[in-house]
């Protein structure tokens, strides 16, 4: 049985763009743009800022409960690295996290970034990756293209082979 939840009246009214344009999502409107603006995640922010001093191609896993700022930290890292959000930031959502989606994301990383800049593959809710997706990603992590960052977010820390494999080799 499917239960269709309705949108609360209050959120339906808030906040609309100019001239009744598409509503602006508050999570996007107030999402910190840079690591310096992220609140209350000192150790993570400090580590990522340290990485920014001498960045190199590698993978990160951001783990924690929903709403703590995993996607925010990933996008802020991309911004601080100068990743072009339109061309060089590739996001894979959990619902599409199969082997083909990972292949497409990796192939985007292999293409030259705009002005030769940094590129990021952000795999959100990586807990739901298929076995094939995990294998494809693990083998690619051995030899990431130059100026490429792969970030996985997950809500269940240390619960899968993916996390332990990537953590031991690359994080
Ligand atoms: N540490 C933080 N500092 C400032 N704002 C934050 C922080 N964490 C979350 N937020 C705010 O909450 C919103 C949701 O955060 P975000 O999408 O990064 O959470 P998440 O950990 O990725 O959650 P989920 O597991 O549901 O994807 C952001 O748009 C941002 O506005
Ligand atoms: Mg998220």
């Amino acid at each position: 049985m499917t239960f269709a939840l309705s949108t609360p009246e209050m959120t339906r009214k808030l906040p609309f763009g100019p001239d009744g344009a598409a509503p602006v999502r508050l999570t996007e409107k107030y999402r910190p743009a840079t690591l310096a603006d992220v609140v209350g995640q000192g150790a993570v922010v400090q580590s990522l800022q340290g990485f920014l001093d001498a960045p190199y191609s590698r993978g990160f896993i951001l783990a924690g409960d929903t709403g703590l700022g995993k996607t925010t930290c990933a996008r802020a890292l991309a911004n601080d690295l100068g990743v072009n959000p339109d061309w060089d930031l590739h996001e894979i959502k959990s619902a599409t996290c199969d082997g083909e989606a990972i292949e497409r994301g990796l192939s985007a990383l292999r293409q030259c970034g705009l002005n030769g800049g940094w590129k990021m593959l952000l795999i959100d809710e990586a807990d739901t990756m298929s076995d094939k997706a995990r294998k494809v990603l693990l083998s690619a992590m051995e030899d990431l293209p130059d100026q490429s960052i792969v970030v996985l977010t997950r809500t269940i820390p240390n619960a899968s082979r993916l996390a332990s494999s990537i953590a031991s080799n690359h994080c």
Side-chain angles (χ1 to χ4, degrees):
M1 182 180 282
T2 304
F3 295 97
L5 279 72
S6 61
T7 308
E9 194 62 25
M10 194 179 76
T11 57
R12 212 181 290 151
K13 282 184 179 162
L14 282 176
F16 286 94
D19 304 324
V24 180
R25 293 172 65 186
L26 292 174
T27 48
E28 297 309 323
K29 185 174 177 184
Y30 294 106
R31 191 189 291 280
T34 69
L35 286 169
D37 293 331
V38 172
V39 177
Q41 300 292 351
V44 173
V45 166
Q46 216 176 338
S47 301
L48 292 176
Q49 284 176 329
F51 168 76
L52 287 173
D53 292 339
Y56 57 95
S57 295
R58 65 171 299 171
F60 291 104
I61 296 170
L62 297 171
D65 283 343
T66 186
L68 289 182
K70 302 179 296 295
T71 303
T72 298
C73 285
R75 290 191 189 165
L77 174 66
N79 189 32
D80 288 352
L81 266 172
V83 173
N84 182 303
D86 297 322
W87 298 100
D88 296 325
L89 176 59
H90 307 281
E91 294 194 36
I92 300 176
K93 306 284 179 199
S94 59
T96 55
C97 203
D98 57 13
E100 283 83 50
I102 298 288
E103 291 277 18
R104 280 196 300 277
L106 290 168
S107 116
L109 285 187
R110 286 185 206 107
Q111 288 163 18
C112 286
L114 202 69
N115 302 321
W118 283 88
K119 295 146 284 175
M120 179 181 285
L121 175 59
L122 171 54
I123 304 168
D124 248 331
E125 298 173 44
D127 315 80
T128 60
M129 286 174 85
S130 69
D131 260 10
K132 184 179 172 201
R134 181 171 51 79
K135 283 178 190 151
V136 169
L137 182 63
L138 278 176
S139 94
M141 292 297 290
E142 299 295 329
D143 187 24
L144 280 179
D146 288 345
Q147 295 190 297
S148 295
I149 302 290
V150 176
V151 179
L152 296 92
T153 75
R154 61 199 319 272
T155 50
I156 311 167
N158 305 320
S160 82
R161 286 171 294 159
L162 172 70
S164 43
S165 313
I166 291 180
S168 60
N169 289 327
H170 302 283
C171 295

